[in-house]
Amino acid sequence: MTQPEALRSLLEAVANGKVTPDKALDSLKDLAYEPVGEFAKIDNHRHLRTGFPEVIWGPGKTPEQIVQIMEVMRQRNPVVMATRIEPSVYTLLQPKIRDLRYYELARICAITPPTIEPRFAGTISILSAGTADLPVAEEAAVTAELSGFRVQRLWDVGVAGIHRLLSNRHLIESASVLIVVAGMEGALPSVVAGLANCPVIAVPTSVGYGASFGGLAPLLTMLNSCAAGVGVVNIDNGFGAAVLAGQILRTAEKLRLASLES
């Protein structure tokens, strides 16, 4: 009932006399939030407010808590995600949630429909500087796909071999939003932003030798980018980059529809 389409259908059914107000009230009673035991409160209203449902942060939760939260959330959402789930945790979750899917490289568990088709126009292109950056890049890619966006991947195109990037310039030009993931010195987003005509979301990773300070060096490089149009998320935050990219595309769609109505 937290999906806008389902809520609209319910309101239309009440207006048409097919559903009583009391029955509708019963359906909506847990709309704001819903407790799970004494350890969690599910924000059922988040999808209506922001366009994205609540997602479970895995670290710090026991497998039993994750199972209980996912089982409650699946009653109201077609897709339920949990991030930063290590393989050892997944092995404990899987027997209790039979239809649970695991994206090992992204460290994401999800309950999903059999297929998820893109629901929004545009393409989110995700670039990684190196193979070691792939866990963060895949977290962004899987998050975007499960949220209903079309994703294009381009891996291992860092500045140490810039010809690898330039030979794929057509993929940069075809993107609606770019997510660029890089560790070490973090120079790739600046290079990409100098070639792209769309927003660039830079994601620093904690990959690098000692002087990268666990991702602080690439974070500062990206914040100091000399190329215009670069926004930066937190270190290793592929999930946040995907949600931001999705919000950009959803805003573009709202503006397009508004222009058609005016």
Side-chain angles (χ1 to χ4, degrees):
M1 189 50 64
T2 55
Q3 303 300 308
E5 299 83 2
L7 183 57
R8 181 183 295 275
S9 296
L10 177 65
L11 294 175
E12 290 175 348
V14 173
N16 295 332
K18 296 179 180 179
V19 175
T20 67
D22 287 342
K23 181 68 174 177
L25 181 61
D26 185 60
S27 299
L28 296 173
K29 66 181 180 180
D30 293 321
L31 182 61
Y33 67 87
E34 184 173 0
V36 181
E38 297 181 354
F39 56 84
K41 293 180 176 63
I42 306 304
D43 184 1
N44 291 324
H45 209 167
R46 187 172 303 186
H47 189 277
L48 290 174
R49 294 195 315 270
T50 70
F52 295 90
E54 188 168 20
V55 171
I56 302 163
W57 169 255
K61 295 181 178 68
T62 67
E64 292 74 18
Q65 289 172 335
I66 295 171
V67 168
Q68 289 184 56
I69 294 170
M70 295 191 89
E71 291 291 0
V72 170
M73 291 181 66
R74 75 183 306 170
Q75 299 173 30
R76 301 179 181 276
N77 297 280
V79 175
V80 179
M81 283 179 55
T83 63
R84 300 301 168 96
I85 302 296
E86 298 297 336
S88 59
V89 176
Y90 170 69
T91 59
L92 298 175
L93 299 177
Q94 197 277 329
K96 299 177 181 179
I97 307 177
R98 294 292 183 178
D99 55 346
L100 190 65
R101 297 182 61 182
Y102 187 49
Y103 303 84
E104 185 171 1
L105 188 55
R107 292 179 294 169
I108 288 176
C109 280
I111 301 170
T112 71
T115 59
I116 300 178
E117 297 296 331
R119 295 182 288 115
F120 302 96
T123 299
I124 299 173
S125 291
I126 304 175
L127 284 61
S128 79
T131 304
D133 301 310
L134 285 184
V136 176
E138 268 296 318
E139 181 181 71
V142 172
T143 298
E145 288 174 335
L146 294 180
S147 299
F149 296 95
R150 183 175 291 102
V151 170
Q152 181 174 255
R153 292 166 169 83
L154 182 59
W155 297 158
D156 196 22
V157 288
V159 297
I162 201 167
H163 55 289
R164 299 171 298 179
L165 175 68
L166 298 178
S167 65
N168 288 282
R169 187 168 177 176
H170 61 287
L171 298 181
I172 297 173
E173 294 170 349
S174 65
S176 307
V177 183
L178 284 155
I179 296 174
V180 185
V181 183
M184 297 291 187
E185 84 287 11
L188 184 60
S190 290
V191 175
V192 171
L195 301 172
N197 64 352
C198 65
V200 174
I201 301 169
V203 187
T205 74
S206 51
V207 172
Y209 292 105
S212 70
F213 298 107
L216 183 58
L219 171 64
L220 294 176
T221 296
M222 294 172 186
L223 289 172
N224 286 285
S225 174
C226 61
V230 178
V232 187
V233 299
N234 207 347
I235 298 167
D236 291 336
N237 192 7
F239 169 80
V243 173
L244 177 56
Q247 291 287 38
I248 291 170
L249 292 186
R250 290 180 65 250
T251 299
E253 180 67 7
K254 286 194 293 186
L255 292 173
R256 185 187 71 81
L257 294 175
S259 67
L260 294 175
E261 295 172 357
S262 62

